[in-house]
Amino acid sequence: MSENHTTTARRSRTRARTADETYTIPVGEGLEPVLRIESLYKHFQLPGEKKVTAVDGIDLTVNRGEFLVLLGPSGCGKTTLLRCVAGLDQPDSGRIKISGQDVYRSEQGLNLPPEKRHISMIFQTYALWPHMTAAQNVAYPLISRGMKAKEAKERVERVLEQVDVSSQAKRYPNQMSGGQQQRVALARALVAGTDLILFDEPLSNIDAKVREQLREEMLEMQRTIGFTALYVTHDQSEAMHLAHRIAVLDNGKISQLDTGRAIYTRPENRYVARFIGRTNETKATVEADGVVATPFGRGHAEFSGGEIPLGQEASVAWRPENATVTRVTEPAGERAALTVEGVVAARVFVGMNVELLVSVGDETLLAIAPPDSDIIEGEQVRISVKERNLLALPTGA
Ligand SMILES: Nc1ncnc2c1ncn2[C@@H]1O[C@H](COP(=O)(O)OP(=O)(O)O)[C@@H](O)[C@H]1O
Ligand SMILES: [Mg+2]
């Protein structure tokens, strides 16, 4: 019995990756990752409060030239992990290597201070010094390290050119646009020849329009300059835009680590499926050959989170955009992974398309119709989940 199911799950998994999910950052022998975190733990214990394990056994590698995003809701431990890497917080245990060198190793009582770690950290809103020009801001890390003024000046000019803000060298932060300030902050991070730049939600306090523009500029600069980044955000669309790979964090643990596409199309658990994008979800029981019995009928599922034994409960999920919605009076399309019939309880025109809330028994499902759809409230509709787009996930988490 279980052999039968194993075959099914394996087949689904080999289909799960397609060519454009290929991860293209150079990895291989002789290429030391810029950052390697092993079994890292960090807890906080405030008097009279419950112990919080902010970093709960993290293993993570960031390769040279990679833009790796830590994504998760507020309080999941993103900042703490970043601060441990920077040397601003001391972990309880584990190991952190930067460019092949141990910077923290609990077994040996090793914990290098931030200035010995070859990293830069960029916080919210860039924190440029308002009383210094762009050039002075960028020169600061060099001068404070004792570099001679002439050498520092040459370096600063080169880096300002690299990030394309040479014209702003003599301006103060309040005389520059948000995009220019971002570039200057990046120049300041790059100037000291750092191996790794840590970003803690740099765009989160900026209004939506400007944020989108800064995000595009960040992307362009990273892809042209190729600096290595560990970038924290709670914003999934920012993560999707910027990341080579995304690590989704859940209460101090990495819930899934993969490309944005893989995380979106093949979430390994319910937490990831719910956190990224929108999803319809229901309970089901696993039968043979990838068949799942749902309250709406039988469907054919993919096991993106690994095997689930026959007879066991699972959660089945699909993205609204991976299903079509038609009137029940229209002929059924062929070969859906799951077909559900229900009544339109609400209809919202959102521009790009029409969103339909469909009642099926006690459950409400989200369906997406084309913008010119004339399906209205009260109509009987059929939702057809496209083949290979019904995911069966473990019920836990
Ligand atoms: N200095 C601190 N003292 C006590 N608890 C802390 C401290 N810093 C963070 N925490 C707790 O650790 C958890 C993770 O926090 P944080 O790393 O700031 O999360 P995030 O950046 O993802 O919002 C939270 O529960 C937070 O309250
Ligand atoms: Mg934070």
Side-chain angles (χ1 to χ4, degrees):
M1 259 195 27
S2 78
E3 199 181 294
N4 194 350
H5 173 75
T6 305
T7 320
T8 308
R10 196 176 299 135
R11 207 184 323 131
S12 309
R13 292 180 100 188
T14 48
R15 282 202 303 240
R17 271 187 177 275
T18 59
D20 60 346
E21 287 166 24
T22 314
Y23 172 51
T24 53
I25 287 294
V27 283
E29 272 177 63
L31 265 178
E32 183 69 42
V34 170
L35 175 66
R36 192 186 282 281
I37 301 173
E38 289 170 21
S39 307
L40 201 74
Y41 290 86
K42 167 73 182 170
H43 83 280
F44 293 105
Q45 175 80 71
L46 292 178
E49 286 187 29
K50 255 178 72 185
K51 174 175 138 176
V52 175
T53 306
V55 177
D56 195 4
I58 295 278
D59 289 288
L60 180 67
T61 297
V62 183
N63 295 302
R64 196 162 296 282
E66 182 172 23
F67 200 114
L68 194 137
V69 173
L70 295 173
L71 174 66
S74 175
C76 73
K78 304 181 294 295
T79 295
T80 306
L81 181 57
L82 220 56
R83 289 175 56 86
C84 288
V85 173
L88 299 168
D89 273 344
Q90 178 162 355
D92 302 334
S93 63
R95 185 174 185 181
I96 303 172
K97 279 167 98 178
I98 294 174
S99 297
Q101 192 198 1
D102 279 319
V103 297
Y104 171 75
R105 195 168 180 188
S106 50
E107 288 165 3
Q108 300 181 344
L110 176 77
N111 190 31
L112 294 186
E115 64 275 14
K116 294 216 168 127
R117 295 191 175 202
H118 304 283
I119 48 105
S120 293
M121 194 152 176
I122 295 185
F123 297 93
Q124 281 181 10
T125 68
Y126 302 112
L128 293 174
W129 286 287
H131 61 288
M132 289 186 194
T133 65
Q136 288 166 340
N137 263 285
V138 177
Y140 187 82
L142 302 178
I143 302 291
S144 65
R145 244 189 252 183
M147 189 182 277
K148 297 227 169 61
K150 184 165 175 286
E151 196 189 341
K153 185 164 177 281
E154 280 164 13
R155 273 247 221 147
V156 168
E157 279 169 11
R158 231 180 308 138
V159 175
L160 288 175
E161 203 166 303
Q162 198 180 14
V163 299
D164 206 15
V165 281
S166 300
S167 60
Q168 307 298 311
K170 297 207 167 76
R171 295 208 181 172
Y172 290 91
N174 67 3
Q175 299 171 319
M176 290 183 270
S177 72
Q180 288 161 343
Q181 289 181 42
Q182 173 172 263
R183 285 168 186 267
V184 173
L186 203 58
R188 189 174 61 182
L190 289 167
V191 76
T194 57
D195 292 332
L196 174 66
I197 306 183
L198 309 173
F199 295 88
D200 195 357
E201 313 220 21
L203 303 182
S204 69
N205 286 343
I206 295 169
D207 11 296
K209 255 261 137 62
V210 181
R211 189 164 67 225
E212 267 176 40
Q213 185 199 329
L214 293 185
R215 190 176 68 194
E216 294 317 312
E217 290 197 14
M218 176 73 77
L219 179 68
E220 183 234 307
M221 281 189 288
Q222 198 276 333
R223 298 306 189 260
T224 43
I225 298 169
F227 58 83
T228 309
L230 182 58
Y231 186 104
V232 160
T233 183
H234 66 273
D235 179 337
Q236 50 152 308
S237 92
E238 203 170 297
M240 289 289 211
H241 268 82
L242 293 171
H244 287 117
R245 287 187 303 162
I246 299 173
V248 183
L249 281 191
D250 176 16
N251 277 317
K253 290 190 166 75
I254 294 179
S255 196
Q256 189 169 353
L257 169 64
D258 213 324
T259 60
R261 174 180 288 269
I263 277 175
Y264 188 86
T265 60
R266 302 283 143 179
E268 286 174 1
N269 54 59
R270 294 168 74 202
Y271 176 81
V272 173
R274 286 175 178 177
F275 188 70
I276 316 267
R278 296 193 292 182
T279 189
N280 288 307
E281 201 182 336
T282 189
K283 272 191 200 158
T285 309
V286 176
E287 299 185 347
D289 289 329
V291 173
V292 284
T294 78
F296 317 127
R298 286 197 158 69
H300 278 271
E302 307 282 308
F303 291 78
S304 59
E307 294 163 21
I308 302 169
L310 285 175
Q312 190 141 321
E313 269 218 336
S315 172
V316 298
W318 71 92
R319 303 289 184 194
E321 71 272 22
N322 291 334
T324 55
V325 55
T326 50
R327 292 191 175 85
V328 286
T329 50
E330 290 166 38
E334 288 169 73
R335 292 160 64 91
L338 176 70
T339 307
V340 185
E341 291 186 5
V343 180
V344 176
R347 175 190 201 278
V348 187
F349 175 71
V350 293
M352 294 256 279
N353 46 49
V354 172
E355 297 185 356
L356 304 173
L357 290 180
V358 179
S359 294
V360 190
D362 293 339
E363 304 207 39
T364 303
L365 302 173
L366 175 62
I368 307 239
D372 59 355
S373 167
D374 56 4
I375 295 175
I376 55 168
E377 277 168 35
E379 285 196 277
Q380 291 274 343
V381 292
R382 178 190 308 114
I383 296 171
S384 307
V385 181
K386 292 176 192 163
E387 273 201 297
R388 296 178 47 200
N389 283 288
L390 185 68
L391 304 177
L393 302 167
T395 47

